[in-house]
Amino acid sequence: MKLKTFFTQVCAAVALGAMAHAALADQLDDIKKAGKIRVAIAMGTPLYSYADANLKPVGSDVETAELLAKDLGVKLDIVSVTNAARVPTLQANRADIVVADLSITPERAQVVDFSVPYAVISIIVGAPKSMNIKSYADLDGKRIGLTRATVNDTLTTANAKGAQIVRYEDDATLITSMVTGQVDIFSSTPSNLGEMQKRAPAKNLELKFAQKEFDLGIALNKNQPALKDWVNNWVKTNLKNGKLNEIYKKYHGRDLPDSVTKGAA
């Protein structure tokens, strides 16, 4: 009797697992049936995703998401998130995919799937011209601001062990902290440096040294083969026809590097 009960429980567990896998694998169909795709985007990131003078979402990630939804034949539903909430929002099923300057890293790849790279992001350290900073060693004993749960955070934490790291929840808050003098050094992106320079030209902020350049991927939950295949084919198609490069160049003023465009092959 006990053996029969155990066998029944095992069968039930296998059936539930198969059902769960099937449900995830059918997400592409679910998106098409719903007529919309929920895309998590980290608003407040200059050049990638921000609000224009009319409070309309714009930026390279926003246009990328708009093109993706159009080609899929569904409405775009932007789910505005902070940088730290990008992966958790996807895991909680509050978004179908993430297009939010999300760098492809081994740590993230353990919990979410990524498309082939669609863009890049450069990570830099910036500060006033008067400060002599050329490497991580020069950050010892200094306060440096950055955005929590980003590759900036990971890189700086690992390489500037003598620095006092001040973490902010999003890029917009980091920018404000620099502009208002709460911190004088930051780890972020050239686009955020440009915004700081525009808002506080008297501070004479400049790029001190480059930390690293990362490929960006469209993130989606694991065990979604149909959705992943569609997204990968979409990225490759739009790299090949030049549309993703046009979007990136429009906002960032440069072409995508060969490391990304070769993904169209």
Side-chain angles (χ1 to χ4, degrees):
M1 188 67 177
K2 289 182 179 180
L3 182 61
K4 182 178 180 180
T5 301
F6 174 75
F7 179 75
T8 302
Q9 291 173 339
V10 170
C11 289
V14 171
L16 286 171
M19 289 172 63
H21 178 79
L24 286 170
D26 288 340
Q27 188 178 8
L28 180 60
D29 286 337
D30 292 341
I31 290 169
K32 291 179 178 179
K33 289 175 183 176
K36 69 176 182 180
I37 184 166
R38 302 168 300 159
V39 182
I41 300 179
M43 297 303 298
T45 304
L47 304 187
Y48 288 95
S49 46
Y50 57 100
D52 66 10
N54 298 315
L55 301 182
K56 177 186 176 183
V58 293
S60 58
D61 275 345
V62 174
E63 282 203 24
T64 297
E66 289 173 342
L67 180 62
L68 185 150
K70 178 183 177 182
D71 289 346
L72 186 54
V74 297
K75 177 184 175 183
L76 172 63
D77 182 3
I78 293 179
V79 181
S80 182
V81 297
T82 63
N83 292 81
R86 289 173 295 183
V87 171
T89 296
L90 182 64
Q91 292 177 308
N93 195 34
R94 292 193 294 270
D96 300 307
I97 62 174
V98 178
V99 183
D101 59 287
L102 193 63
S103 303
I104 301 172
T105 66
E107 296 78 16
R108 287 172 178 160
Q110 290 180 12
V111 294
V112 299
D113 271 346
F114 282 102
S115 70
V116 295
Y118 72 96
V120 295
I121 191 168
S122 298
I123 307 303
I124 64 167
V125 167
K129 183 178 287 188
S130 59
M131 298 185 75
N132 184 24
I133 298 173
K134 297 180 180 179
S135 68
Y136 287 112
D138 296 323
L139 298 175
D140 283 357
K142 297 181 176 66
R143 282 162 47 89
I144 179 169
L146 49 76
T147 304
R148 186 187 308 277
T150 60
V151 288
N152 316 62
D153 193 347
T154 304
L155 278 172
T156 307
T157 300
N159 294 288
K161 298 186 182 300
Q164 180 185 348
I165 298 174
V166 183
R167 295 176 173 84
Y168 297 94
E169 294 303 317
D170 53 45
D171 286 351
T173 309
L174 170 63
I175 292 169
T176 299
S177 74
M178 283 294 300
V179 169
T180 58
Q182 297 176 47
V183 289
D184 294 320
I185 310 169
F186 71 90
S187 167
S188 192
T189 64
S191 57
N192 284 342
L193 169 60
E195 182 66 16
M196 294 171 193
Q197 291 169 327
K198 182 172 69 175
R199 291 172 54 180
K203 287 187 173 294
N204 292 315
L205 298 174
E206 65 177 12
L207 187 156
K208 292 300 185 180
F209 67 91
Q211 293 177 267
K212 196 171 182 179
E213 187 166 82
F214 286 90
D215 288 340
L216 302 180
I218 295 173
L220 57 154
N221 275 315
K222 289 185 176 293
N223 300 317
Q224 295 175 6
L227 181 58
K228 184 176 181 180
D229 286 346
W230 189 93
V231 171
N232 272 333
N233 288 331
W234 179 85
V235 172
K236 291 177 182 179
T237 296
N238 285 282
L239 284 173
K240 191 171 183 178
N241 64 26
K243 289 184 179 180
L244 284 174
N245 187 67
E246 288 175 12
I247 291 173
Y248 189 81
K249 190 172 184 178
K250 173 181 176 181
Y251 290 95
H252 301 273
R254 63 184 177 114
D255 291 316
L256 287 168
D258 292 341
S259 62
V260 172
T261 56
K262 70 181 182 183

